[in-house]
Amino acid sequence: MEPLDPYDNPIKCIFVCHFHHTAGPKILCQVPKDFLSKDTFETVSVYMIPKGQLQKFIITITTRDNKILGYPIQINDQKYLRNAYYFNLCFVCDHNSHTLHYEPIVKKLSTFLLNLEIEDNFLSKSDQSEKSQEELLCLMSQVMQDLNLHKRCKLIARQSIIYLNVIEVSRNPPTPLDFDVPLLVSEIDFLDEQWDLTTRQVAPFIDGVNHVSKISKLSKLDIEVVAACIQNLVYCNAVSLVDLFRYSNMYVCTTKIGQLARNKSRYDEAISAISRPGGPKATFKDIFTVFSAMRQGSRFIDVCLRYNPVSINIDERNLVLYGLANGYIRQLRKYPVVLKEKDVDKTFMGNYYNGLNSLNIISCFTNSDVYQLDEEIERDIRIVSVWK
């Protein structure tokens, strides 16, 4: 049975293979015993002991049932019959699981075995020595058991110690919708070589105003490519996703607003980010007052009508973006619900009005104008809206 969660992926098998000077690629040991059949290994052996260009690179092979993660190593030395020794330590997981968090462990453990081989021919002589093979088998058994049960392992062999820890990998964020707006939440140098060309092409249009669909048009890239790029930036904690800025949106303060009041070192930053450009600076007192007025039941237009941000030198859009980026406020989203089941088919797109789909999601899925959709919902007495 396939795991329900691709991140909940215990190690199913650990094996060490090497290149025998007469038999060719061969499994030196595996835990549990005989997990990989001879036929299965022969199918993937060309990737387990690859050519020189792929040595000391993480290699992942997916078969019908398993995903095999390895780190092939070649040792050049005249003491070996072919003047070189090839081996590979591999983890085996379910075929549809994520294995990114195991890659550093495979690499570190392979390097550990490399040092043991250089010092004492630990692997190469395991093929002839039952004692060495049993020791290798015990080590791999301990690694598999400890990592699966405790996510960490302390391994001792030949007076050498190695510590292995499974680093938790964050789940993939949901794919951004067409009208989601990416908002930068950290200082990022998108000219750095770590970012791919697509990210560099998309980055100039991430300003907290442009939604995914508009960024696609501005960058002249397919919307699927832009969405995947922004999803990756969300995963890297470089951006967060917010809804389109609308005066009809509803925002509420979070408990973090108290931190802003107590942290005087953030005052200048808040004033600089929120003040209207080309004029006098807003006061922190006014900024905090407007933030505090954001509560359930009051749309942002109501807050603006009450305080008139222009008159106190506050840029209302920047106020919202700054508050969202730092977690001082959060947006309440509108979820339309048809009151009576008999009216579902009578209302415009009634099947979507079940309290599970926000207004923006409905707009995106049905390719409808969000403003027009909102007006129709407000006019229809058979529909109520829940904010959450």
Side-chain angles (χ1 to χ4, degrees):
M1 181 181 293
E2 296 180 353
L4 296 177
D5 186 345
Y7 291 88
D8 183 18
N9 53 338
I11 302 167
K12 296 167 63 177
C13 170
I14 297 179
F15 70 89
V16 180
C17 60
H18 70 161
F19 187 87
H20 190 271
H21 62 280
T22 57
K26 178 182 176 182
I27 292 180
L28 194 57
C29 84
Q30 63 173 317
V31 181
K33 187 177 180 181
D34 299 327
F35 180 87
L36 283 183
S37 66
K38 182 179 180 181
D39 291 342
T40 301
F41 177 72
E42 288 180 352
T43 302
V44 299
S45 61
V46 66
Y47 307 106
M48 296 294 92
I49 308 293
K51 295 183 178 180
Q53 298 93 322
L54 296 178
Q55 300 295 328
K56 291 192 175 181
F57 283 97
I58 290 290
I59 294 178
T60 303
I61 302 162
T62 303
T63 67
R64 185 181 63 180
D65 301 314
N66 301 305
K67 180 176 286 188
I68 303 173
L69 186 69
Y71 187 73
I73 291 180
Q74 172 183 336
I75 306 173
N76 295 313
D77 197 306
Q78 292 183 355
K79 67 182 180 181
Y80 301 111
L81 290 177
R82 290 175 176 256
N83 296 322
Y85 180 69
Y86 306 85
F87 76 91
N88 195 352
L89 165 90
C90 300
F91 283 12
V92 182
C93 298
D94 195 86
H95 78 282
N96 67 346
S97 60
H98 292 277
T99 55
L100 181 64
H101 50 307
Y102 287 132
E103 290 184 6
I105 296 177
V106 169
K107 184 176 180 180
K108 188 174 183 179
L109 190 53
S110 297
T111 303
F112 181 70
L113 294 179
L114 167 65
N115 292 331
L116 291 179
E117 172 64 23
I118 291 175
E119 293 172 5
D120 193 33
N121 298 328
F122 180 67
L123 295 176
S124 56
K125 74 181 182 183
S126 294
D127 208 22
Q128 293 85 32
S129 168
E130 290 186 6
K131 182 179 178 181
S132 296
Q133 193 169 54
E134 185 65 28
E135 184 178 358
L136 178 61
L137 191 63
C138 289
L139 291 176
M140 296 303 104
S141 298
Q142 181 187 343
V143 171
M144 181 172 168
Q145 178 177 326
D146 289 354
L147 292 183
N148 281 341
L149 291 178
H150 311 295
K151 305 298 183 184
R152 62 182 181 274
C153 176
K154 177 183 177 182
L155 203 61
I156 303 175
R158 307 292 173 89
Q159 299 181 339
S160 297
I161 302 176
I162 184 175
Y163 295 90
L164 305 172
N165 292 282
V166 178
I167 299 174
E168 292 297 327
V169 178
S170 301
R171 270 55 173 168
N172 285 333
T175 302
L177 300 174
D178 293 1
F179 289 95
D180 279 340
V181 178
L183 172 66
L184 282 174
V185 294
S186 58
E187 293 290 336
I188 300 292
D189 181 11
F190 285 110
L191 297 179
D192 193 292
E193 292 183 356
Q194 68 170 311
W195 301 108
D196 56 78
L197 293 176
T198 301
T199 302
R200 296 182 198 178
Q201 192 169 343
V202 167
F205 306 109
I206 299 177
D207 57 3
V209 177
N210 297 326
H211 50 69
V212 173
S213 182
K214 188 173 182 180
I215 292 175
S216 173
K217 294 176 182 177
L218 293 173
S219 63
K220 299 179 181 179
L221 294 170
D222 290 341
I223 194 165
E224 292 82 6
V225 174
V226 173
C229 173
I230 292 173
Q231 182 185 30
N232 181 61
L233 291 174
V234 173
Y235 180 85
C236 296
N237 295 319
V239 306
S240 63
L241 297 176
V242 298
D243 285 346
L244 280 169
F245 174 83
R246 295 188 298 154
Y247 286 98
S248 59
N249 288 346
M250 191 182 295
Y251 305 97
V252 294
C253 290
T254 69
T255 55
K256 285 188 176 181
I257 194 68
Q259 299 176 13
L260 177 62
R262 293 188 293 269
N263 191 349
K264 294 185 178 181
S265 63
R266 300 298 299 271
Y267 285 16
D268 290 340
E269 177 189 88
I271 291 171
S272 177
I274 295 171
S275 296
R276 298 180 70 82
K281 297 292 185 182
T283 67
F284 182 79
K285 179 182 178 181
D286 287 335
I287 291 172
F288 191 80
T289 299
V290 178
F291 270 140
S292 301
M294 297 182 188
R295 57 176 61 93
Q296 189 167 351
S298 295
R299 300 193 184 198
F300 189 57
I301 185 63
D302 301 322
V303 175
C304 290
L305 289 174
R306 181 179 177 185
Y307 291 99
N308 190 6
V310 175
S311 67
I312 51 179
N313 307 310
I314 289 177
D315 186 311
E316 57 267 35
R317 184 189 293 271
N318 288 342
L319 176 81
V320 169
L321 294 179
Y322 182 81
L324 291 172
N326 291 279
Y328 301 137
I329 61 173
R330 68 180 181 88
Q331 181 178 340
L332 293 179
R333 291 179 171 83
K334 185 175 184 177
Y335 293 79
V337 183
V338 178
L339 285 174
K340 298 179 181 180
E341 187 176 351
K342 66 179 182 179
D343 292 330
V344 170
D345 295 332
K346 300 176 182 178
T347 56
F348 181 64
M349 293 185 291
N351 289 328
Y352 287 97
Y353 303 153
N354 55 12
L356 301 176
N357 302 309
S358 69
L359 182 64
N360 275 17
I361 289 177
I362 297 172
S363 170
C364 184
F365 285 168
T366 61
N367 198 26
S368 305
D369 181 86
V370 68
Y371 299 101
Q372 180 182 353
L373 189 59
D374 194 15
E375 290 178 0
E376 291 174 352
I377 290 172
E378 288 297 315
R379 287 198 301 263
D380 197 328
I381 61 174
R382 295 166 296 189
I383 303 172
V384 296
S385 296
V386 178
W387 295 83
K388 57 182 179 179

